Amino acid sequence: LLDLNNTNKRISIRNLSINTEFSDFGGFIINENETFFASASPKSLKKEKLYKWNNQPFLNIYKANSSRKSLEENVKDTVLVLESKRLISRGINTEYHESNPVFTKDLKTMYFTRVNYDGRKLKSDKENTINLKIYKADYADDRWSNVVELPFNSDEYSVGHPALGPDDKVLYFVSDMPGGIGKTDIYKVDIT
């Protein structure tokens, strides 16, 4: 692959040892020390609810310690190593899907995708589809709290997969809301 300075750069893709037989995706590396990701791996040894589409447990957001290790001595090649996988603090993960966390640079705000679940029941649209919504949470006193859904969410269409612009002032997301060009489009909104 070629980088922006037109110098050759070799990139190798490897399966992480922390991956499971379940769905694991959406890594977000913070300060080279922690990586957040979504996984359908079971939360406990107890039997859990299974998602009917893939017969796996529902997705939750996990974090793991991350580091880079050299492949061989005196070689510049390194691999990302993830260890000590654990669920993030209560208040974010529910008994249904959560995934795709992104964080502001100061690590005090997280945006993530969750199914339309109000804490008591799943909500669906007129066609009985359970849509996605984006939520925001604040980090203080070593825990995530103040979880709120964003104002442009709707029970009638999905909003998900948040991404932040480089200055944390723009939030990008995908949605199948009315008025788009395709079935699902990319949108952006200014963060105020």
Side-chain angles (χ1 to χ4, degrees), residues 44-55:
S44 68
L45 297 174
K46 295 188 304 184
K47 187 172 180 174
E48 295 185 32
K49 288 183 181 182
L50 298 180
Y51 183 47
K52 291 178 185 174
W53 284 13
N54 62 8
N55 207 31

Side-chain angles (χ1 to χ4, degrees), residues 33-179:
N33 298 327
E34 288 183 313
T35 297
F36 290 77
F37 58 96
S39 178
S41 62
K43 290 189 274 189
S44 68
L45 297 174
K46 295 188 304 184
K47 187 172 180 174
E48 295 185 32
K49 288 183 181 182
L50 298 180
Y51 183 47
K52 291 178 185 174
W53 284 13
N54 62 8
N55 207 31
Q56 292 187 8
F58 286 86
L59 294 166
N60 288 288
I61 300 173
Y62 287 83
K63 71 177 175 178
N65 298 335
S66 54
S67 61
R68 296 194 181 276
K69 297 196 177 165
S70 294
L71 290 175
E72 300 173 20
E73 260 187 62
N74 300 322
V75 177
K76 292 181 181 180
D77 291 346
T78 61
V79 294
L80 179 68
V81 176
L82 299 182
E83 301 171 315
S84 304
K85 176 178 105 172
R86 59 212 177 271
L87 285 165
I88 62 170
S89 61
R90 286 182 160 157
I92 302 298
N93 291 316
T94 66
E95 59 187 297
Y96 298 103
H97 290 306
E98 287 82 26
S99 68
N100 302 88
V102 295
F103 302 83
T104 55
K105 288 180 182 160
D106 64 6
L107 306 178
K108 292 183 179 180
T109 304
M110 172 177 50
Y111 297 92
F112 64 98
T113 303
R114 177 186 283 166
V115 295
N116 190 1
Y117 177 64
D118 67 4
R120 293 181 308 278
K121 68 177 189 163
L122 291 169
K123 293 177 156 184
S124 58
D125 64 14
K126 294 173 190 158
E127 296 173 7
N128 210 25
T129 300
I130 298 168
N131 291 302
L132 302 175
K133 291 185 173 186
I134 297 177
Y135 291 78
K136 175 185 170 222
D138 299 321
Y139 191 74
D141 301 321
D142 289 331
R143 67 183 195 93
W144 292 102
S145 61
N146 301 324
V147 178
V148 295
E149 73 172 80
L150 298 188
F152 48 83
N153 287 332
S154 172
D155 292 347
E156 298 305 315
Y157 53 81
S158 281
V159 175
H161 307 290
L164 286 165
D167 60 3
D168 287 347
K169 293 183 179 180
V170 176
L171 181 74
Y172 297 88
F173 60 93
V174 296
S175 179
D176 60 353
M177 67 176 67

